[in-house]
Amino acid sequence: MTGRLRLGVNIDHVATIRNARGGDHPDPVRAAVAAAGAGADGVTAHLREDRRHITDDDISRLTERLTVPLNLEMAATEEMLDIALRHRPNAACIVPEKREERTTEGGLDAAGQFDHLAPFVIRLTQAGIRVSLFIEPDPRQIEAAIALAAPVVEFHTGRYAHLEGQHRAEELRRIADAAALAHKNGIEPHAGHGLTFANVMAIAAIPQLMELNIGHFLIGDAIFSGLESSVTRMRALMDEARG
Ligand code: PXP
């Protein structure tokens, strides 16, 4: 099983640069449209409680302008649920969110927060939004995702990205085993966080993975190469890994 691996481009950090000065430049919606034009299969945006990058207006404009699917990353809060139900993105990825963190630092504890998460999965699903849970590549979390009837899980690749040598190889195996377990149980596995040109191929080669969501590195590389070129190169590396 080696289907085409989709690339979701996370445009949060275009908004980070815009918000550093206020105003509307650079526009994350323009970046989203450009990424799609360069071969991104979808666009991801994380509307955080503190609105540090993506804003409500960005979500509104993304749903109006995008011709590829929008994946809304959201915390499991009533506020975010209302927004998701109003805008109806194609997909919603439920992520843990801590106000003081620099980025999403670990996976969602789907097992520990089962009762809290269950109504969110149900209400999003009933609205026709494909729910994904951003979890660690851990069998206990996959069991919880199965019990929650989440159709998709996204494995947090942050540990893989930061480790080196033997430790990285072990984490890669954990992600591969988790992808196989999710797939075997009818859950579509995705992955993301900390992926770069240098580390993406080993992840992309995991045959059950269906989508990678990549943001910070791509937006940073785009400063030097332009967004189209950065997306095209990432896409090519993913395709090469699937060879
Ligand atoms: N997937 C999820 C669920 C995330 O929260 C993030 C970071 O916002 C990403 C993917 C992308 O991570 P990065 O910006 O490190 O590529």
Side-chain angles (χ1 to χ4, degrees):
M1 183 194 140
T2 45
R4 179 181 148 89
L5 180 61
R6 294 193 301 269
L7 170 62
V9 173
N10 181 317
I11 43 117
D12 293 350
H13 296 302
V14 179
T16 304
I17 298 170
R18 175 195 60 193
N19 297 358
R21 288 292 170 94
D24 56 13
H25 173 79
D27 181 8
V29 179
R30 180 177 169 196
V33 171
D41 302 283
V43 165
T44 294
H46 184 177
L47 185 67
R48 280 185 168 266
E49 186 193 12
D50 62 10
R51 309 299 198 271
R52 70 173 73 158
H53 38 57
I54 294 296
T55 63
D56 300 62
D57 180 58
D58 293 332
I59 296 298
S60 203
R61 291 185 304 120
L62 283 167
T63 49
E64 279 161 23
R65 293 275 311 277
L66 275 183
T67 53
V68 294
L70 173 66
N71 175 33
L72 173 70
E73 284 181 16
M74 54 175 271
T77 65
E78 283 300 324
E79 182 200 13
M80 289 302 150
L81 180 63
D82 283 351
I83 292 169
L85 295 179
R86 204 169 338 118
H87 291 289
R88 309 235 170 179
N90 305 77
C93 181
I94 303 181
V95 299
E97 200 173 293
K98 288 190 234 112
R99 196 180 272 266
E100 66 281 11
E101 70 189 351
R102 266 190 291 180
T103 180
T104 312
E105 280 163 3
L108 192 66
D109 183 7
Q113 293 184 11
F114 190 93
D115 292 342
H116 175 70
L117 293 171
F120 287 89
V121 177
I122 291 169
R123 290 171 70 190
L124 289 164
T125 302
Q126 281 172 345
I129 300 168
R130 197 154 188 247
V131 178
S132 155
L133 302 178
F134 189 43
I135 58 174
E136 295 294 326
D138 170 353
R140 191 167 152 261
Q141 299 298 342
I142 298 168
E143 296 302 332
I146 296 165
L148 284 163
V152 178
V153 289
E154 179 172 332
F155 296 120
H156 195 305
T157 49
R159 264 175 62 75
Y160 159 81
H162 288 112
L163 291 170
E164 286 176 9
Q166 182 58 25
H167 296 299
R168 174 179 281 195
E170 283 164 17
E171 184 64 11
L172 181 63
R173 201 163 321 117
R174 221 161 71 94
I175 296 167
D177 290 348
L181 180 63
H183 175 70
K184 199 173 110 197
N185 284 282
I187 296 187
E188 185 174 299
H190 299 178
H193 208 280
L195 297 177
T196 68
F197 291 152
N199 67 21
V200 74
M201 286 185 74
I203 293 291
I206 296 171
Q208 294 87 0
L209 288 177
M210 296 293 286
E211 181 174 306
L212 302 183
N213 285 301
I214 309 180
H216 183 265
F217 175 83
L218 275 178
I219 302 307
D221 187 72
I223 293 169
F224 304 103
S225 309
L227 188 57
E228 280 90 347
S229 160
S230 303
V231 170
T232 304
R233 178 144 180 237
M234 188 63 83
R235 176 75 270 159
L237 290 170
M238 288 164 55
D239 290 343
E240 192 184 331
R242 283 288 160 112

